[in-house]
């Protein structure tokens, strides 16, 4: 191909009329030249031109061959097909809009899920050469020891040549500033230098900011600048109070930079100031665990880097063999989840569920295209009789479908954004504020979402449009030109399969919605065994404990309060209890004397602690189940047993003993013999957290370190919580959360309602699409079998018989779909119950509820029969005489 050929092809593409005119002139020139030669030989002019035309052949065929030689036939045909498709849409706009809307709904639903997956797996942070950044990681163990500390980071930077540089970080440190929770990430002073991202305003951290006693400064993310300071252009130099100390804002990072995290924090602070952000670790900066992230040296492979770090990690143990070192890994740190395959595996079942809507929509498209094929048989027959090949017409029909798919992709994008906006608004409105200052953001849409929509739309629509296109071209031109329809008027397997798939998906989704609704109703009636109507949990920072306790004692809205350690919603500590007949594993916690009265748990035998017993190490209260275990034939009151802390990994005690300098007495530092003074009622606890209250209770004073306060308040607990927050933040601007137990009790119902809402929306969409698809199929069959029905009625068939005949055609696929949907739902429920997770979730979600199954199936049957009745009754009104006259 030379330059002249390229010019000719470009002219044919961009100036087609001129190219056609030149082609016509050139062909005419050749014919005229041949005629001139014949006239020179004495042939009369009229005969010469006729003979020249005969020698040249068909001008139309020659023109087509010339166009083929240009190499632009594919583009020309595609443009022609597109123009023809647009004209066909103009002739039947309702059908085109129905197809676009149907597919757009399914695409929008699936795009919602992909947008979320994109955030976790595919959306990489905006940092230069981000593929060079890796986190040093090892599997979690139960030792309670941090993976790495600040001195180990410095040793790694000094003793290894794996990274050009590395920084340490602690992510998701929440603190309350001016009454609002701010998410902070603590980083070493070289963080911004390693990631190679500079602020858009101000400056970044320097090593001097991260030295001991360094500058109290913070750098805002673009998210934090918008959320907390409304993009104030004069934000630099402003201060925020952290544990009473003013921190100066020195910089703002550019939009899109998330600090190598999935979600950007509100701000970054120097790691050396960890004591201000977490008072429990004040003075323990060298013992606090952190994550290490480094930038690989040029030419360093991940395998070599891992081997060198494992060797270094083993050698730093002074020659001892550390099995944990052999498990050390390097994980890409790119602002996505560390294990993308795990995230994809989690999303895959959701894609299947959400994809059912797209499948139903595409099945409806196939049904509608089959119906359109009937209406266009005369047109297709004429085109075939004029010489068009079946392949050419199929290509034309597929071009129409692909064009509709692209329109549906645009509609799906709009629907997905609206759905995400609505979902986020719903979550923000219904999410209990007790859970924190949650601020969900709508996942950003990028080129990946657009590509996903386009590819999915084309594949889905083309797949379901191919069979109707092939079916539409299986006609006899002569018969269709006379107005006759195709010979085969029986319902095909493809149509029955589509109906069955639609009913199957609808049954599956509606059963899930009914299960969640029934479970939510049952959850609202669940009694956790403790008082939740007017009880709140107050988290206290150690640095302000005394002032906070005085404020709690003097607060009129609080009627009574008690202390406990660990908190009510945390796992109790483990211990061994030996009444003399052998050790038994028990859980224990420390509580003050009014604990049982505040949470509404009665002492069924004996008495509660007295104020004088706050520091008594010889008394205890046990639950009914522990009393039955230790003394099967006794009441438990007055009995003694030896209590010894369980220091094995995972017991909770080993973690508390990591930092003995944190202050306060350690739980059961030595074995003790205690006397049971009371037996409390067993507490069922909250099923969602799977945390049961302790079985053994030991006394402690409210002033005890690391204790949490549980208080009973007057009036509405939510209003009381807001009042207490306003009061306590004046004492401690960085105080922890205040959580109402009513919110905790309703938490499982909240998540069940979200699941029910999602399932109901999906199930409702599925049912609507199924009903409309069923209506389209029967309408298509009625139109296809009009002649047959007329003949049957002329021979004596009654209207009732005709109606029953048409309804019977849908009964079988509907019943098969119902049985398949219910069977799969029951099978999945059975499998789920056999798993460990299923045993826990089955306490909340009643996956085998027969009422949910029967109700869902009944709704589908009624809806399908109602959809089928309209076209079936229309078939019974066919006039046999008109049909016979047409024949």
């Amino acid at each position: 191909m030379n330059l002249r050929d390229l010019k000719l092809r470009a002219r044919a593409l961009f100036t087609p009329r001129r190219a056609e005119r030149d082609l016509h002139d050139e062909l005419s020139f050749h014919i005229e030249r041949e005629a001139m030669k014949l006239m020179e030989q004495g042939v009369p002019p009229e005969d010469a031109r006729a003979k020249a035309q005969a020698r040249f052949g068909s001008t139309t065929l020659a023109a087509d061959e010339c166009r083929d030689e240009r190499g632009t036939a594919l583009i020309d045909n595609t443009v022609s097909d597109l123009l023809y498709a647009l004209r066909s849409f103009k002739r039947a706009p309702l059908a085109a809009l129905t197809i676009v809307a149907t597919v757009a709904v399914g695409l929008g639903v699936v795009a919602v899920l992909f947008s979320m997956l994109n955030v976790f797996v595919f959306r990489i942070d905006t940092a230069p050469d981000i593929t060079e950044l890796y986190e040093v990681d090892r599997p979690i163990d139960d030792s309670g020891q941090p993976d790495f500390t600040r001195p180990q980071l410095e040793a790694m930077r000094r003793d290894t040549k794996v990274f050009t540089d590395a920084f340490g970080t602690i992510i998701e440190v929440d603190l309350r500033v001016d009454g609002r929770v701010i998410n902070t990430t603590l980083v070493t002073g070289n963080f911004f230098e390693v990631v190679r991202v500079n602020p858009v305003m101000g400056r970044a951290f320097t090593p001097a900011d991260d030295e001991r006693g360094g500058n109290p400064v913070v750098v805002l993310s673009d998210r934090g600048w918008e959320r907390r300071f409304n993009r104030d252009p004069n934000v630099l130099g402003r201060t925020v109070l952290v544990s009473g100390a003013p921190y100066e804002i020195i910089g703002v990072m550019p939009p899109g930079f998330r600090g190598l995290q999935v979600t950007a924090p509100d701000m970054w602070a120097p790691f050396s100031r960890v004591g201000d952000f977490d008072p429990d670790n004040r003075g323990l900066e060298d013992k606090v665990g952190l994550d290490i992230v480094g930038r690989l040296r040029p030419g360093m492979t991940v395998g070599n880097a891992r081997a060198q770090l494992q060797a270094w990690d083993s050698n730093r143990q002074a020659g001892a063999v550390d099995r944990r070192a052999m498990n050390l890994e390097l994980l890409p740190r790119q602002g996505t989840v560390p294990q993308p395959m795990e995230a994809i595996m989690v999303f895959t079942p959701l894609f299947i569920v959400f994809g059912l809507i797209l499948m139903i929509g595409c099945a409806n498209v196939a049904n509608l295209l089959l119906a359109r094929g009937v209406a266009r048989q005369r047109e297709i027959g004429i085109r075939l009789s004029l010489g068009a090949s079946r392949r050419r017409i199929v290509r034309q029909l597929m071009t129409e479908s692909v064009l509709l798919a692209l329109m549906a992709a645009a509609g799906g994008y709009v629907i997905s954004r609206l759905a995400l906006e609505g979902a986020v608004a719903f979550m923000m409105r219904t999410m209990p504020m007790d859970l924190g200052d949650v601020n969900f953001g709508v996942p950003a849409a990028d080129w990946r979402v657009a590509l996903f929509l386009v590819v999915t739309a084309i594949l889905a629509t083309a797949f379901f449009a191919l069979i109707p296109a092939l079916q539409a071209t299986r006609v006899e031109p002569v018969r269709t030109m006379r107005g006759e329809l195709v010979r085969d008027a029986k319902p095909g397997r493809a149509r029955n399969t589509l109906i069955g798939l639609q009913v199957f998906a609808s049954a599956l989704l509606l059963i899930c919605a009914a299960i969640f609704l029934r479970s939510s109703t049952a959850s609202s009636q669940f009694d956790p065994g403790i008082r939740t109507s007017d009880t709140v949990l107050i988290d206290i920072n150690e640095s302000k404990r005394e002032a906070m306790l005085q404020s709690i004692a003097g607060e009129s809205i609080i009627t009574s309060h008690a202390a406990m350690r660990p908190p009510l919603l945390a796992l109790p500590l483990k211990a061994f209890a030996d009444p003399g007949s052998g050790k038994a594993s028990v859980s224990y916690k420390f509580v003050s004397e009014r604990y049982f009265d505040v949470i509404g748990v009665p002492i069924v035998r004996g008495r509660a602690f007295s104020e004088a017993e706050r520091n008594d190490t010889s008394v205890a209260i046990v639950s009914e189940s522990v009393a039955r275990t230790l003394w099967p034939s006794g009441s438990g009151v007055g009995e003694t047993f030896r209590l010894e802390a369980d220091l094995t990994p995972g017991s909770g005690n080993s973690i508390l003993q990591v930092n003995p300098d944190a202050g306060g007495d350690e739980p059961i530092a030595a074995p003790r013999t205690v006397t049971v003074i009371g037996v409390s009622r067993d507490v069922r606890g909250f099923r969602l957290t799977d945390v049961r209250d302790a079985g053994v209770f030991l006394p402690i004073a409210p002033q005890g370190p690391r204790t949490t306060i549980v208080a009973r308040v007057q009036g509405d607990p939510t209003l009381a919580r807001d009042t207490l927050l306003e009061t306590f933040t004046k004492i401690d601007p960085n105080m922890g959360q205040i959580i109402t137990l009513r919110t905790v009790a309703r938490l499982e119902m909240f998540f069940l309602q979200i699941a029910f809402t999602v399932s109901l929306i999906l199930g409702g969409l599925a049912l609507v699409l199924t009903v409309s698809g069923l209506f389209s199929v029967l309408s298509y069959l009625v139109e296809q079998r009009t002649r047959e029905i007329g003949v049957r009625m002329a021979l004596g068939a009654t209207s009732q018989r005709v109606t029953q005949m048409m309804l019977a055609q849908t009964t079988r696929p509907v019943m098969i779909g119902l049985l398949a949907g219910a069977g799969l739902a029951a099978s999945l429920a059975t499998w789920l119950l056999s798993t460990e997770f299923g045993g826990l979730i089955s306490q909340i979600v009643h996956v085998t509820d027969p009422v949910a199954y029967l109700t869902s199936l009944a709704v589908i049957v009624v809806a399908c029969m109602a959809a089928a009745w309209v076209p079936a009754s229309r078939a019974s009104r066919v006039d046999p005489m008109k049909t016979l006259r047409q024949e």
Side-chain angles (χ1 to χ4, degrees):
M1 182 184 298
N2 52 35
L3 182 60
R4 182 174 178 274
D5 294 334
L6 290 176
K7 290 181 178 179
L8 290 174
R9 292 182 179 182
R11 186 177 63 176
L13 287 175
F14 298 109
T15 57
R17 292 184 179 180
R18 180 182 174 186
E20 287 297 313
R21 187 169 56 251
D22 291 345
L23 176 60
H24 180 268
D25 292 343
E26 184 176 355
L27 295 176
S28 299
F29 168 77
H30 287 293
I31 296 173
E32 189 66 26
R33 183 179 179 183
E34 184 66 22
M36 291 295 294
K37 289 181 180 180
L38 293 173
M39 284 188 290
E40 290 175 358
Q41 296 174 4
V43 178
E46 295 181 1
D47 293 341
R49 287 188 176 88
K51 188 175 291 187
Q53 182 68 56
R55 288 182 179 181
F56 189 84
S58 174
T59 306
T60 303
L61 181 61
D64 287 339
E65 292 176 351
C66 290
R67 295 187 188 99
D68 292 339
E69 288 298 322
R70 292 175 186 167
T72 61
L74 177 62
I75 298 177
D76 293 338
N77 291 336
T78 301
V79 172
S80 299
D81 288 345
L82 291 175
L83 294 176
Y84 187 85
L86 292 175
R87 290 195 298 269
S88 68
F89 298 160
K90 187 176 181 180
R91 290 194 301 268
L94 183 59
L97 288 175
T98 302
I99 292 174
V100 170
T102 301
V103 179
V105 169
L107 286 174
V109 169
V110 179
V112 167
L113 200 60
F114 182 82
S115 298
M116 293 186 289
L117 179 65
N118 184 44
V119 170
F120 291 105
V121 178
F122 303 120
R123 189 166 65 105
I124 298 175
D125 206 349
T126 54
D129 300 320
I130 196 170
T131 55
E132 299 175 356
L133 293 168
Y134 285 84
E135 178 181 346
V136 184
D137 182 67
R138 71 169 98 249
I140 299 174
D141 68 356
D142 295 326
S143 67
Q145 298 290 340
D147 288 342
F148 299 104
T149 59
R150 180 67 177 266
Q152 292 167 1
L153 167 64
E154 300 301 334
M156 181 183 295
R157 296 173 62 190
R158 181 180 62 251
D159 300 337
T160 66
K161 303 299 181 183
V162 172
F163 301 119
T164 56
D165 201 358
F167 64 86
T169 177
I170 302 178
I171 64 174
E172 298 180 356
V173 178
D174 291 335
L175 70 153
R176 189 172 294 276
V177 175
D178 298 329
R180 302 181 67 184
V181 175
I182 286 186
N183 181 265
T184 308
T185 293
L186 304 178
V187 293
T188 52
N190 61 338
F191 168 70
F192 295 105
E193 180 181 351
V194 174
V195 297
R196 301 176 186 171
V197 178
N198 297 318
V200 293
M201 294 172 55
R203 68 173 180 88
F205 295 144
T206 64
D209 295 323
D210 191 38
E211 294 178 353
R212 295 291 176 87
N215 302 319
V217 293
V218 295
V219 173
L220 295 178
S221 67
D222 182 77
R223 172 176 176 262
W225 184 33
E226 179 178 12
R227 289 180 61 196
R228 306 305 182 190
F229 299 97
N230 297 319
R231 295 191 174 274
D232 181 3
N234 301 316
V235 72
L236 297 181
R238 292 180 59 176
T239 59
V240 293
L241 288 178
V242 178
S243 296
Y247 275 68
E248 180 185 0
I249 299 172
I250 61 172
V252 178
M253 297 306 293
F257 177 66
R258 308 192 303 273
L260 308 185
Q261 300 173 215
V262 175
T263 304
D266 291 321
M267 64 185 186
W268 290 272
F271 182 85
S272 61
R273 314 293 299 197
V274 64
D276 290 342
F277 289 85
D278 186 1
D280 289 345
N281 287 311
R282 194 182 303 275
L284 303 174
E285 289 80 3
D286 289 344
K287 298 181 180 179
V288 175
L290 50 74
D291 298 330
I292 296 179
V293 181
R295 187 178 288 275
L296 285 181
R297 289 185 178 276
M300 176 69 68
T301 65
V302 176
N304 290 337
R306 183 190 303 111
Q308 291 187 33
L309 289 175
Q310 287 176 349
W312 166 81
D313 200 26
S314 296
N315 292 335
R316 72 184 177 87
Q317 300 293 330
V321 177
D322 187 359
R323 293 183 178 179
R324 299 177 73 216
M326 302 306 295
N327 294 327
L328 191 144
E329 288 289 344
L330 286 178
L331 301 178
R333 189 71 177 266
Q334 301 177 359
T336 57
V337 293
Q339 302 291 346
M341 291 308 300
E342 294 182 3
I344 292 176
M345 291 179 64
V346 170
F347 274 89
T348 297
L350 296 176
F351 269 112
I352 294 175
V353 174
F354 280 59
L356 292 176
I357 302 299
L358 180 59
M359 183 195 71
I360 295 175
C362 290
N364 272 358
V365 169
N367 289 330
L368 186 56
L369 290 177
L370 285 171
R372 287 192 71 199
V374 174
R376 298 178 67 179
Q377 281 185 10
R378 181 177 176 83
E379 168 201 339
I380 293 172
I382 293 174
R383 295 177 66 186
L384 288 171
S385 65
L386 292 176
S389 66
R390 186 185 180 198
R391 178 180 179 183
R392 184 69 182 83
I393 296 178
V394 169
R395 176 183 167 183
Q396 164 64 43
L397 296 176
M398 293 301 296
T399 301
E400 293 180 10
S401 299
V402 171
L403 185 58
L404 291 172
L406 295 178
M407 297 179 184
Y413 173 80
V414 174
I415 291 174
S416 68
R417 303 316 298 174
L418 292 176
L420 286 169
E421 292 281 356
V424 170
F426 174 77
M427 291 290 291
M428 292 299 297
R429 186 175 63 254
T430 58
M431 177 69 74
M433 294 303 296
D434 308 33
L435 303 182
D437 189 11
V438 182
N439 191 354
F440 295 103
V442 178
D446 54 16
W447 63 269
R448 301 179 189 86
V449 177
L451 180 63
F452 172 81
L453 279 169
V454 171
V455 172
T456 305
I458 293 176
L459 291 178
T461 307
F463 178 76
F464 281 95
L466 182 59
I467 294 177
L470 295 175
Q471 180 72 20
T473 55
R474 293 175 58 188
V475 298
E476 301 176 28
V478 176
R479 298 189 63 185
T480 54
M481 290 177 67
R482 292 204 306 261
E484 298 180 11
L485 298 180
V486 293
R487 186 183 312 165
D488 183 14
K490 297 180 180 179
R493 294 181 179 178
R495 290 191 296 272
N496 288 340
T497 301
L498 292 174
I499 294 174
L501 285 175
Q502 290 174 313
V503 174
F504 160 78
S506 299
L508 197 60
L509 293 172
L510 285 178
I511 286 173
C512 290
I515 286 174
F516 286 125
L517 175 62
R518 296 267 299 169
S519 300
S520 177
T521 303
S523 177
S524 64
Q525 303 171 356
F526 174 76
D527 181 14
I530 61 178
R531 189 181 182 117
T532 61
S533 59
D534 57 355
T535 313
V536 299
L537 300 177
I538 306 173
D539 191 17
I540 298 179
N541 292 330
E542 290 301 312
S543 59
K544 300 287 185 178
R545 174 170 295 277
E546 192 63 34
M548 288 288 292
L549 289 176
Q550 292 179 2
S551 179
I552 290 173
E555 179 59 52
S556 60
I557 203 171
I558 296 177
T559 58
S560 61
H561 68 280
M564 56 189 166
R565 186 179 72 199
L568 187 65
L569 303 180
L571 290 172
L573 306 176
K574 295 294 183 180
F576 294 112
D578 186 0
S581 57
K583 291 183 178 181
S585 179
V586 297
S587 59
Y588 72 98
K589 69 190 306 180
F590 295 84
V591 299
S592 63
E593 64 275 9
R594 304 190 66 179
Y595 173 77
F596 298 99
D597 177 62
V598 172
I599 68 171
V601 175
I603 302 296
V604 294
R605 294 188 294 274
R607 62 176 178 85
F609 296 126
S610 65
E611 185 174 348
E613 294 171 327
R614 285 181 173 181
N615 299 314
D616 193 340
T617 60
S618 63
V619 294
I621 294 174
V622 298
S623 65
E624 291 178 297
S625 58
V626 170
R628 286 193 300 269
T629 301
L630 298 182
W631 305 282
S633 58
S635 67
V637 177
E639 302 284 356
T640 61
F641 65 95
R642 180 181 173 85
L643 192 65
E644 177 182 351
D646 180 2
L647 299 180
T648 57
S651 64
N653 294 307
S654 57
I655 297 177
L656 292 174
Q657 293 181 348
V658 171
N659 297 327
D661 298 330
D665 59 317
E666 289 304 308
I668 313 183
R672 64 176 70 172
T673 299
V674 294
T675 301
V676 177
I677 63 172
V679 177
S680 67
R681 189 188 64 192
D682 284 332
V683 174
R684 298 177 64 182
F686 301 102
R687 296 178 298 181
L688 188 64
T689 61
D690 195 32
V691 174
R692 303 292 184 268
D693 208 357
V696 176
F697 301 91
L698 304 175
I700 195 173
Q703 293 78 14
R706 298 186 301 281
T707 56
T708 299
I709 301 299
V710 55
R712 190 181 297 178
V713 297
Q714 295 179 347
D716 183 81
T718 302
L719 297 178
R721 171 187 174 275
D722 296 339
T723 302
L724 293 176
L725 274 176
E726 183 179 354
T727 301
F728 294 157
T729 49
K730 296 177 182 178
I731 302 173
D732 182 6
N734 307 126
M735 69 164 296
Q737 277 292 96
I738 298 180
I739 302 175
T740 66
L741 286 186
R742 186 175 67 177
T743 294
V744 178
R746 295 177 178 177
L747 198 57
E748 67 181 44
M749 185 175 65
F750 169 73
F751 289 115
L752 286 172
Q753 288 176 341
I754 291 178
F756 163 69
T757 302
V758 173
S759 301
L760 182 62
I761 292 174
L762 295 180
L765 284 174
L767 187 58
V768 170
L769 292 175
T770 298
V771 168
S772 63
L774 187 60
F775 180 84
S776 300
V777 168
L778 282 183
S779 298
Y780 164 65
L781 292 177
V782 169
E783 184 173 358
Q784 205 176 35
R785 302 183 65 180
T786 301
R787 179 184 167 213
E788 175 197 346
I789 294 171
V791 173
R792 285 177 178 270
M793 297 187 70
L795 294 176
T798 62
S799 299
Q800 183 179 4
R801 178 60 183 158
V802 170
T803 302
Q804 293 175 352
M805 178 188 68
M806 298 305 299
L807 289 176
Q809 292 189 353
T810 61
T811 301
R812 183 177 180 183
V814 167
M815 294 308 299
I816 291 176
L818 285 175
L819 293 176
L824 180 60
S827 299
L828 291 176
T830 303
W831 170 80
L832 184 63
L833 291 175
S834 65
T835 63
E836 181 179 356
F837 174 75
L840 170 63
I841 201 67
S842 63
Q843 302 178 26
I844 304 173
V845 183
H846 305 152
V847 293
T848 58
D849 186 356
V851 176
Y853 281 74
L854 294 176
T855 303
S856 303
L857 298 182
V859 169
I860 295 174
V861 169
V862 171
C864 290
M865 290 300 101
W869 181 262
V870 176
S873 61
R874 187 178 64 189
S876 67
R877 294 194 296 270
V878 171
D879 188 345
M881 299 307 298
K882 288 184 178 180
T883 304
L884 293 177
R885 281 198 298 268
Q886 290 176 357
E887 180 62 21

